[in-house]
Amino acid sequence: MQASSVEIRKVNKFYGPFHALKDIDLSIPPGKVTCLIGPSGSGKSTLLRCMNFLEEYDSGEVRIDGQLIGYDAPGKRMSGRKLREMRRSIGMVFQQFNLWPHMTAHENVAEGLIRVRGLSKADAMTRAADALAKVGLADKMGNHPSRLSGGQQQRVAIARAIAMEPKLMLFDEPTSALDPELVGEVLNVMKTLASEGMTMVVVTHEMGFAAHVADQVAFLEKGELVDVDTPSGILHHPKDARIQSFLRTYHERNSF
Amino acid sequence: MFSIPVFFESFGPLLWAARYTLLISFLGIGLGLILGALICAARLSPYAILRRFAAVWVSFLRGVPLLVQLLVFYYALPVIGLDVPAFVAAIVTVGICASAYISEIWRGAINALPRGQSEAAIAIGMSPRDVWSRVVLPQAVSLSLPALINELILLVKASSLVSVVGILEITRSSQAQAATTFRPLEVYLAAACIYLMINLCLAALGRYLEHRTTV
Ligand SMILES: Nc1ncnc2c1ncn2[C@@H]1O[C@H](COP(=O)(O)OP(=O)(O)OP(=O)(O)O)[C@@H](O)[C@H]1O
Ligand SMILES: [Mg+2]
């Protein structure tokens, strides 16, 4: 599998006067799993969404395999066609799944193959079936999203992304909307993807996943990237007081 | 005394007159759907001038009673040299009036869709056109169906107003019969039954469509 790298340099993002991302520098190595953690409102989603330009950053650079995304040159917006071309190879999985409710699971996955990759309907349906089999849903292909559990819906959403054969996968809290007993099935699919060498950027509150699967963990707070390190460096030997306090709160909330 | 034979006999002419009621409501809503789509598109467009025009269109048409619109339209057309039959004037007026409400129904349905629906499509690289035709519109249409059927039912009832420009639809026909038979209660009751039957059928159609499109 080809895997992309992402280089983020001096990225700033404003919502009106609010400074949501402050001079972010981060390197996402190819074929590795990077987890973004941090308190609510710290800018994790915003940063992740800058990587496929769902969110426009105001200054700095986000490069996918060296190519600037969203801009041809600093300040000069890229054409829609070129941006779509780049997005083709970037998969995204959302907290709320965002499956299209008027299509079956099978159609949800095939849609992008037909409209974006230009496959014939028959080829798209075959490829979509393969992707669904890969996430363990071969027997649920004909179901509409409303007839699937949350965990199954999220696995369809992952299948929809991987069917496009992306070189980079972005996950925004993929298990946060799930009942606890359904979290495992989604994390397992993600682990398989990671073991196949997919570049993955995962915003998560699952510290266990970050500890066991991530190659690096980045901690954000109030729009600043506080630290990037190995999982154990961030989670077991945090240097910054802000990370220590975040982890303390996390452990208190998750102990009983 | 209530005369049952008169009640039943008045159905014949009233059902015949119902063709105008149905034609005006159905053609009116057809025109309303087309104009409503254009107005809604203008309302959501990036051009301020179009948005302004659409907003004025909607507030003007919603602010003037249909009866007054009918009369204005009917008497204004000859002034500007257009000699159209009353029937055509009625359909056009009903359609224009409905377009104001229908554009708002569609705007509401489109705005009710979660942002994530189109974001998921954009994220895999779909063109804006595909995002609209494959993701937004199919859902907006099924979301708006109950309100559109409701609008059609309102139009069937409001079509009684076109009697003022001389069209012999159900209401005007019943007035005429009441005058000749001297049996207003029987005749109007029959007219009420016909309106009710039409609208019950439409409501059933609405339930069927809603059931078929929601999953
Ligand atoms: N569209 C917007 N308009 C204005 N402010 C926004 C917008 N989107 C996000 N923000 C603000 O930017 C900040 C970062 O938001 P973001 O969604 O990236 O946080 P997050 O780290 O993902 O939080 P969470 O863990 O709750 O998802 C927040 O303070 C939020 O209120
Ligand atoms: Mg978030």
Side-chain angles (χ1 to χ4, degrees):
Chain A
M1 181 191 304
Q2 274 182 296
S4 289
S5 63
V6 186
E7 284 295 329
I8 298 167
R9 288 289 161 262
K10 294 253 168 283
V11 161
N12 283 279
K13 167 76 189 170
F14 292 86
Y15 290 112
F18 180 71
H19 201 170
L21 294 178
K22 302 173 184 164
D23 276 335
I24 304 287
D25 280 305
L26 178 64
S27 295
I28 314 276
K32 297 281 161 56
V33 177
T34 301
C35 282
L36 301 181
I37 64 169
S40 181
S42 56
K44 306 179 295 291
S45 300
T46 308
L47 179 60
L48 187 79
R49 291 158 58 90
C50 283
M51 297 183 206
N52 64 355
F53 212 66
L54 267 189
E55 213 67 72
E56 296 175 21
Y57 49 98
D58 296 306
S59 69
E61 300 181 345
V62 176
R63 291 184 181 275
I64 313 291
D65 290 331
Q67 192 184 357
L68 199 59
I69 188 163
Y71 300 97
D72 282 327
K76 186 170 173 295
R77 281 288 300 272
M78 176 179 263
S79 73
R81 175 182 295 273
K82 218 167 143 190
L83 182 56
R84 292 200 290 279
E85 191 79 27
M86 289 190 75
R87 281 175 175 154
R88 268 191 204 191
S89 49
I90 307 173
M92 185 164 212
V93 174
F94 302 83
Q95 181 174 355
Q96 297 302 333
F97 327 136
N98 295 347
L99 292 180
W100 301 308
H102 56 301
M103 300 180 194
T104 63
H106 201 176
E107 289 162 346
N108 263 277
V109 180
E111 188 65 23
L113 295 170
I114 298 169
R115 304 282 147 188
V116 181
R117 298 290 293 267
L119 264 62
S120 72
K121 178 143 194 227
D123 289 347
M125 289 310 241
T126 312
R127 284 262 287 272
D130 292 344
L132 283 164
K134 189 164 175 210
V135 298
L137 288 174
D139 54 334
K140 301 283 183 190
M141 295 200 305
N143 289 29
H144 280 85
S146 57
R147 297 281 169 82
L148 295 169
S149 73
Q152 291 168 339
Q153 288 186 58
Q154 193 61 299
R155 284 187 283 150
V156 173
I158 294 174
R160 176 170 69 179
I162 61 177
M164 302 289 290
E165 298 178 336
K167 295 189 273 181
L168 165 66
M169 285 281 292
L170 309 174
F171 295 84
D172 194 353
E173 298 196 33
T175 57
S176 295
L178 298 178
D179 291 335
E181 72 271 22
L182 302 177
V183 168
E185 64 189 64
V186 171
L187 291 182
N188 283 336
V189 170
M190 291 170 63
K191 282 178 196 160
T192 308
L193 265 183
S195 70
E196 291 169 1
M198 175 72 78
T199 309
M200 293 168 52
V201 185
V202 187
V203 174
T204 188
H205 290 295
E206 292 290 331
M207 295 306 152
F209 179 82
H212 296 118
V213 184
D215 297 288
Q216 65 172 357
V217 176
F219 181 89
L220 277 93
E221 192 185 73
K222 299 204 176 98
E224 276 177 64
L225 197 123
V226 175
D227 199 4
V228 195
D229 203 345
T230 60
S232 109
I234 296 284
L235 300 172
H236 298 129
H237 312 286
K239 294 182 281 290
D240 195 283
R242 288 169 286 184
I243 308 180
Q244 291 163 0
S245 123
F246 172 79
L247 291 173
R248 207 173 307 122
T249 316
Y250 176 83
H251 288 307
E252 277 163 19
R253 204 177 296 149
N254 289 278
S255 60
F256 46 84
Chain B
M1 263 297 284
F2 187 85
S3 161
I4 290 174
V6 172
F7 172 71
F8 281 112
E9 276 159 22
S10 49
F11 270 88
L14 289 181
L15 282 172
W16 183 232
R19 75 191 188 286
Y20 277 123
T21 298
L22 290 175
L23 273 175
I24 286 169
S25 344
F26 278 83
L27 293 177
I29 200 142
L31 182 62
L33 287 169
I34 296 166
L35 286 176
L38 294 175
I39 295 299
C40 177
R43 195 98 198 234
L44 299 172
S45 87
Y47 307 104
I49 174 105
L50 287 180
R51 288 201 302 272
R52 187 93 206 104
F53 170 79
V56 170
W57 176 280
V58 168
S59 57
F60 179 81
L61 291 168
R62 290 204 302 190
V64 177
L66 177 59
L67 182 58
V68 177
Q69 287 177 36
L70 274 165
L71 292 169
V72 168
F73 210 69
Y74 186 63
Y75 289 108
L77 284 180
V79 172
I80 59 167
L82 279 174
D83 189 19
V84 298
F87 179 63
V88 174
I91 289 171
V92 171
T93 317
V94 167
I96 287 176
C97 180
S99 75
Y101 294 92
I102 291 172
S103 72
E104 287 297 282
I105 289 172
W106 275 343
R107 193 165 70 103
I110 288 167
N111 287 337
L113 278 192
R115 266 183 71 77
Q117 284 292 307
S118 45
E119 279 183 350
I122 293 168
I124 58 171
M126 267 200 217
S127 65
R129 189 188 154 148
D130 284 338
V131 175
W132 271 90
S133 68
R134 303 295 303 169
V135 174
V136 178
L137 287 183
Q139 294 189 66
V141 167
S142 61
L143 269 178
S144 64
L145 270 181
L148 287 177
I149 295 290
N150 196 37
E151 179 65 21
L152 181 54
I153 290 173
L154 287 175
L155 281 192
V156 167
K157 293 188 286 182
S159 70
S160 64
L161 296 174
V162 306
S163 57
V164 296
V165 294
I167 295 171
L168 200 67
E169 43 62 71
I170 299 174
T171 301
R172 191 172 166 107
S173 166
S174 58
Q175 284 168 330
Q177 279 193 73
T180 52
T181 59
F182 302 104
R183 288 282 185 182
L185 178 60
E186 288 81 350
V187 176
Y188 288 135
L189 203 57
C193 288
I194 293 174
Y195 277 117
L196 189 62
M197 282 185 316
I198 293 173
N199 286 333
L200 288 176
C201 289
L202 290 177
L205 172 72
R207 279 192 302 275
Y208 167 75
L209 289 176
E210 213 178 323
H211 180 76
R212 218 189 53 158
T213 51
T214 53
V215 283

